Amino acid sequence: MIKQLLAGALLALILFPACQSNPGTPAPAATTPLQFETRNFVKHYCVNDDQCADFNVFYLQFAENSPQIVRQASDLIRARIIAGLEGNTTVPFEAALDSTGTRFIDDFVRMKRENPDNTMGQDIQVTSNVLANTGKLLTVRIDFNTYTGGAHPNSASTLMSFDLTQNARELAVADMLQDSTAVLPLLEQAYKAAKGLQAGDDIKQLLLGDIETLPLPANIGIVPEGLLFVYNNYEIAPYAVGGADILLTWDQLGQSADRKRWLE
């Protein structure tokens, strides 16, 4: 399970947005920035001082008196964490963390028993950060970082933006971008610059063989400065090229995005 974690996490981060909250009866909207704290779930096991397995998940805990709409967003965020960890999304969040962490430790102990010459430790770390927090909008970033053996560590990220005026609905690309085709040339130039290419260079030299032009990434989120576009490792390019965080400001986006709708 753990060896395929990040591949599974990336797939979960791409596919899971299809699982939205049920529109149902609209819940009362939040009207002020949300109150929250970051909590930490840890499992730790060492076979000796140098060989340890660490399972470390930082997650958001919103105030207990938060409106129902905030609890709905929290449930979706937590479900995305568990899906990214390939855990059990049908049980309560803390129970899912515990069972996933226990399985990770058990896999580590089994690996050490079967491969006593392996002297490496292993770790899984998940961090959660609020990038935008208004009465209308909540944007959260979740980062998964793992090392479970192999040539290199792995990572994957997800962005979630919620409309707090509409039952904590997770925003789709069409909600954030009026004209996605107009944004692609801006993204391509920014991506080239991030990877050290000149404006006139062929971007295909960076991309996986079956990708001809730069697509929108699976993860887009609204932040105070504009829109953040996150390309994960292996999403469009080989591991050696790496992922990329591309910020396009509201000025750059122009008519393609509506700042006032979300931030005023």
Side-chain angles (χ1 to χ4, degrees):
M1 183 275 293
I2 295 300
K3 290 185 182 297
Q4 284 75 42
L5 177 64
L6 259 296
L10 179 56
L11 183 61
L13 304 187
I14 293 173
L15 297 181
F16 203 84
C19 303
Q20 300 286 334
S21 55
N22 188 337
T25 302
T31 56
T32 60
L34 309 180
Q35 300 299 310
F36 65 92
E37 63 181 17
T38 300
R39 293 188 178 178
N40 189 204
F41 180 93
V42 176
K43 279 188 177 290
H44 175 78
Y45 177 85
C46 293
V47 296
N48 57 45
D49 290 343
D50 300 318
Q51 300 178 48
C52 298
D54 289 290
F55 181 84
N56 202 0
V57 178
F58 293 88
Y59 63 93
L60 302 173
Q61 177 67 45
F62 293 94
E64 291 186 4
N65 61 349
S66 296
Q68 174 64 26
I69 194 169
V70 178
R71 294 194 290 273
Q72 291 171 193
S74 177
D75 288 344
L76 290 171
I77 294 166
R78 291 180 171 196
R80 190 70 57 83
I81 290 174
I82 299 303
L85 292 169
E86 295 188 325
N88 184 353
T89 59
T90 66
V91 300
F93 179 67
E94 290 79 4
L97 285 178
D98 186 70
S99 62
T100 306
T102 297
R103 182 164 49 176
F104 168 64
I105 298 294
D106 289 346
D107 286 349
F108 176 75
V109 171
R110 186 179 306 109
M111 183 274 292
K112 289 296 181 182
R113 185 171 58 246
E114 295 173 354
N115 302 280
D117 293 335
N118 186 315
T119 61
M120 302 296 292
Q122 296 186 358
D123 65 86
I124 293 176
Q125 179 166 289
V126 179
T127 57
S128 305
N129 291 284
V130 172
L131 304 186
N133 179 16
T134 72
K136 294 181 179 180
L137 172 79
L138 174 68
T139 297
V140 172
R141 176 175 183 147
I142 306 167
D143 293 299
F144 299 82
N145 294 279
T146 74
Y147 180 75
T148 56
H152 53 73
N154 288 296
S155 64
S157 302
T158 187
L159 295 176
M160 305 176 75
S161 287
F162 297 96
D163 183 349
L164 298 182
T165 70
Q166 291 192 24
N167 246 25
R169 181 176 62 90
E170 187 176 357
L171 299 181
V173 173
D175 298 307
M176 296 182 275
L177 282 173
Q178 278 74 35
D179 186 358
S180 59
T181 57
V183 169
L184 289 174
L186 298 173
L187 275 176
E188 179 170 316
Q189 292 305 312
Y191 187 84
K192 286 180 180 179
K195 299 303 179 182
L197 293 188
Q198 299 299 313
D201 292 340
D202 188 352
I203 197 172
K204 287 194 291 184
Q205 64 185 284
L206 298 174
L207 306 179
L208 294 171
D210 59 342
I211 301 177
E212 295 291 326
T213 59
L214 188 75
L216 289 174
N219 289 282
I220 305 173
I222 300 172
V223 295
E225 302 85 356
L227 292 185
L228 181 61
F229 301 79
V230 174
Y231 292 93
N232 277 306
N233 290 335
Y234 300 115
E235 185 176 350
I236 61 168
Y239 182 85
V241 173
D245 288 8
I246 305 295
L247 174 67
L248 295 183
T249 67
W250 297 112
D251 286 343
Q252 288 175 295
L253 292 163
Q255 299 281 330
S256 298
D258 187 353
R259 179 185 182 279
K260 289 183 179 180
R261 181 181 177 186
W262 305 113
L263 298 179
E264 294 184 6

